[in-house]
Amino acid sequence: MTQALSEHIDYLSLPGRNALYRQAIAATIAPGDTVADLGCGVGVLGLMCLESGASQCWGIDESAAIHLARESMDRAGFADRYTCIADSTFRTQLPEQVDLIIYDHVGFMGFDYGIIPLLRDARARFLKPGGAMIPQALDLWLAPVSSDVCRDKVTRWHDALVPPEFHWFEGLDRNTRFPHNFSADDVLGAPNALGHIDLATDEREFFRFEATLLIDRAGRFDGFAGWFDCQLAGDVRMNNSPLDPASIQRPQAFFPARESFAVEAGDEVRVSFRFRADDNTIAWTIHPPGGAAPHKLSTFNSMVLTPAGLVKDPARPLALSAAGAARAYVLSQVDGQRSGEEIIAAVLAERPDLLPSEQAIRDFVQGVLARDCSAAKPAA
Ligand SMILES: C[S@@+](CC[C@H](N)C(=O)[O-])C[C@H]1O[C@@H](n2cnc3c(N)ncnc32)[C@H](O)[C@@H]1O
């Protein structure tokens, strides 16, 4: 639970965030409205809706935080009006459609925490026709940056202490989007509006934006920062701009250049920025001033090939892995009659070779049964 607590203290204590959501809720909610609190965490946004007159709220979260939400709503006296659902929104069925969906799925750059696919599904299945959403829209911003800390994030692989066999990891990090809290001093030029996303209607799967970053002062261009300005409701907005003292101070996103380069005041750095909403792949091309070769980077290039990645290859036939075959075998032992202990005993007797030790077999079988089984109904 420690991890859930430390994650959610960050959301609960971001400067100004809760007050902005409260204003947006006050401007949106009508007495008696029903609400779905998507990715509810400890339930803070749904709680505000109930305090503002909502009649019923369904809080959905796939992490352990949902248990903190249940206990918190109980203690706050809302147990009968706040229903906690411990699951992914994509697997959840609500008993009825709601008047309002509320969420803070706004990542470092707004779109980069899966907000678009989550809303595409939630709008279609959870929201009454004409229902309301908080937030409603995202504006994306970029600015050129120079930051020793960010530069070190990628060059650290060439540190003398790192054995040379691992220096190639820098290439992976160059293709990575990092969260970072920039200060105004890191910004080399005026921010540039990159694009707008209407969260209530946008159905795009692929987004493509262009920006020209004008350099205001000479320095070393290490990459660019991206952030959001999010319309919660009407004119209630929340942003994480490094240049706005009223920012909620969520970190921004840092996108590195392939290598840092010098820039002068008046230079222009062109950026082409693309992302695929469904798998969060982000690609960025940086055109340095003076016609130097473009830097083409993509989070796709920092993905390490894993079995999970191979499964996505449309041309590759699949077979059960050793763990998959063991799991299938254990599940084949579940017959609605035997208890967990009896199944473990049967597996140990029939397949002592399933894993290297008896303890490993016990732990594995227990894990499979805990995940995929529930108590059988008593015979009538
Ligand atoms: C940024 S936190 C926000 C928590 C809370 N709504 C708040 O404003 O403080 C996002 C939460 O969404 C949950 N989450 C992410 N994707 C989800 C999904 N598809 N279904 C259910 N929960 C999800 C995470 O476990 C996390 O607790």
Side-chain angles (χ1 to χ4, degrees):
M1 200 51 83
T2 325
Q3 195 198 338
L5 288 175
S6 65
E7 180 185 345
H8 288 278
I9 185 64
D10 285 349
Y11 303 133
L12 292 179
S13 59
L14 283 172
R17 185 197 78 138
N18 296 345
L20 289 170
Y21 267 97
R22 248 186 221 291
Q23 280 178 43
I25 291 166
T28 307
I29 213 156
D33 273 357
T34 53
V35 178
D37 184 359
L38 309 176
C40 65
V42 298
V44 59
L45 302 182
L47 173 69
M48 290 184 204
C49 292
L50 291 173
E51 288 170 344
S52 302
S55 59
Q56 187 67 41
C57 182
W58 284 274
I60 310 165
D61 204 291
E62 63 193 1
S63 75
I66 193 72
H67 306 297
L68 299 171
R70 187 176 288 117
E71 172 86 23
S72 303
M73 296 307 130
D74 205 4
R75 286 170 181 245
F78 286 117
D80 55 336
R81 290 163 59 200
Y82 193 106
T83 307
C84 288
I85 301 173
D87 211 337
S88 155
T89 56
F90 295 101
R91 281 194 297 261
T92 296
Q93 306 263 26
L94 290 183
E96 60 186 74
Q97 288 188 312
V98 296
D99 300 294
L100 169 68
I101 54 181
I102 192 162
Y103 46 94
D104 180 359
H105 241 66
V106 185
F108 305 118
M109 201 174 160
F111 69 87
D112 50 344
Y113 187 60
I115 194 169
I116 291 166
L118 179 120
L119 286 181
R120 194 188 304 136
D121 173 61
R123 277 192 323 246
R125 296 192 303 115
F126 300 157
L127 193 59
K128 286 181 185 168
M133 301 171 48
I134 300 175
Q136 298 175 341
L138 291 171
D139 286 296
L140 312 183
W141 288 83
L142 293 190
V145 288
S146 184
S147 154
D148 290 343
V149 176
C150 284
R151 186 166 179 262
D152 289 352
K153 282 185 206 281
V154 280
T155 55
R156 62 193 165 166
W157 294 110
H158 279 84
D159 189 286
L161 294 172
V162 176
E165 290 80 0
F166 305 102
H167 287 189
W168 70 278
F169 289 173
E170 178 172 337
L172 300 179
D173 261 354
R174 291 271 173 204
N175 286 277
T176 299
R177 174 222 56 170
F178 293 95
H180 183 69
N181 272 308
F182 288 96
S183 73
D185 291 344
D186 298 324
V187 176
L188 285 172
N192 201 291
L194 184 69
H196 177 81
I197 301 174
D198 183 334
L199 296 169
T201 58
D202 213 316
E203 294 287 344
R204 279 176 287 180
E205 283 170 15
F206 187 74
F207 291 76
R208 182 182 195 110
F209 300 115
E210 306 287 331
T212 300
L213 307 178
L214 186 61
I215 305 296
D216 290 341
R217 63 179 172 85
R220 188 191 65 220
F221 179 101
D222 292 321
F224 57 88
W227 64 86
F228 61 81
D229 177 17
C230 172
Q231 180 191 20
L232 292 179
D235 58 3
V236 184
R237 304 187 71 92
M238 139 179 127
N239 76 67
N240 66 335
S241 164
L243 303 172
D244 183 355
S247 141
I248 63 164
Q249 291 175 31
R250 179 166 292 167
Q252 301 84 36
F254 169 60
F255 297 90
R258 199 181 50 227
E259 68 249 347
S260 300
F261 53 86
V263 284
E264 299 294 335
D267 278 349
E268 289 184 353
V269 177
R270 268 194 314 114
V271 173
S272 162
F273 191 87
R274 285 97 61 206
F275 63 90
R276 221 173 29 216
D278 280 323
D279 62 5
N280 256 340
T281 306
I282 309 173
W284 60 103
T285 303
I286 297 171
H287 298 267
H295 302 193
K296 294 185 177 179
L297 298 133
S298 167
T299 54
F300 185 78
N301 298 332
S302 60
M303 285 175 197
V304 177
L305 209 54
T306 61
L310 292 176
V311 168
K312 291 186 181 167
D313 184 340
R316 196 180 289 256
L318 297 176
L320 279 179
S321 64
R327 181 175 287 279
Y329 165 70
V330 171
L331 289 174
S332 75
Q333 302 299 303
V334 180
D335 57 5
Q337 308 291 322
R338 288 190 284 187
S339 70
E341 272 311 308
E342 287 169 324
I343 292 172
I344 291 171
V347 172
L348 284 170
E350 288 171 23
R351 291 289 306 278
D353 58 338
L354 192 67
L355 289 167
S357 70
E358 180 179 327
Q359 189 58 45
I361 295 175
R362 282 184 183 283
D363 292 347
F364 179 75
V365 177
Q366 248 160 14
V368 173
L369 298 179
R371 200 192 78 160
D372 293 327
C373 298
S374 55
K377 290 200 176 65

